[in-house]
Amino acid sequence: MVKDLRTEVETSDTAGVLDGDLDAFMGAALAQRVGETRGSTVD
């Protein structure tokens, strides 16, 4: 099991992650960052 504690994404495909299949993790991290910037205000 591979888990990203920041985004709470997890997968049981450990071989895939070690081979570079990180799309789910990168997508969740980017979505989290977009959510943070949409709620902020610029003064």
Side-chain angles (χ1 to χ4, degrees):
M1 180 68 67
V2 179
K3 297 181 182 182
D4 181 358
L5 299 177
R6 293 171 290 168
T7 61
E8 300 181 8
V9 172
E10 58 184 51
T11 182
S12 60
D13 183 17
T14 56
V17 171
L18 290 173
D19 285 339
D21 185 15
L22 304 172
D23 292 342
F25 296 101
M26 290 188 295
L30 289 171
Q32 188 178 46
R33 287 189 142 205
V34 168
E36 289 174 1
T37 58
R38 286 184 186 241
S40 64
T41 59
V42 177
D43 291 334

